[in-house]
Amino acid sequence: QVQLVESGGGSVQVGGSLKLSCVTSGLTSSNYLVGWFRQTPGKERQGIAAINDVDATTYTKSVEGRFIISQDSAKNTVYLEMNSLTPEDTGMYTCAAKIGRMLILLDNGFRFWGQGTQVTVSS
């Protein structure tokens, strides 16, 4: 059974940085995609970034140049480094995984989900 556990969320001021971690277990396929999603009250869940097993990455335009997704395969961990944070980055950040390495940010393509970690950016 695939499990994902996020950590690293918190409160930060505008312009600050946070690094989220997503520890995966049970993801035994050699072809996979892990993504980060953000949800705020009243809005649809948005795909933020994703990385596959060959380290190819994709980002939503609003975070390009500010966020970096990476992974440490030895630790079964995917990271999301978030820089130059703005209040619009506030939300519940959840990591998710799917079998297959095609780069997508559509949440209905992901089968396995974590519980999320809250990020709050204040001015």
Side-chain angles (χ1 to χ4, degrees), residues 85-115:
L85 286 163
T86 74
E88 289 69 36
D89 296 316
T90 293
M92 179 67 74
Y93 284 72
T94 306
C95 65
K98 65 179 291 292
I99 306 303
R101 61 176 55 150
M102 186 172 68
L103 295 172
I104 62 170
L105 291 176
L106 299 174
D107 59 358
N108 61 5
F110 287 78
R111 178 179 177 185
F112 309 104
W113 292 83
Q115 295 298 309

Side-chain angles (χ1 to χ4, degrees), residues 41-80:
K43 293 186 178 180
E44 292 187 357
R45 185 161 52 194
Q46 179 186 19
I48 300 300
I51 187 168
N52 66 15
D53 57 286
V54 294
D55 285 336
T57 60
T58 188
Y59 298 88
T60 191
K61 283 201 177 296
S62 65
V63 307
E64 283 182 347
R66 300 189 298 124
F67 289 14
I68 302 171
I69 189 170
S70 62
Q71 65 185 328
D72 184 335
S73 298
K75 296 182 178 180
N76 294 325
T77 302
V78 173
Y79 304 98
L80 184 66

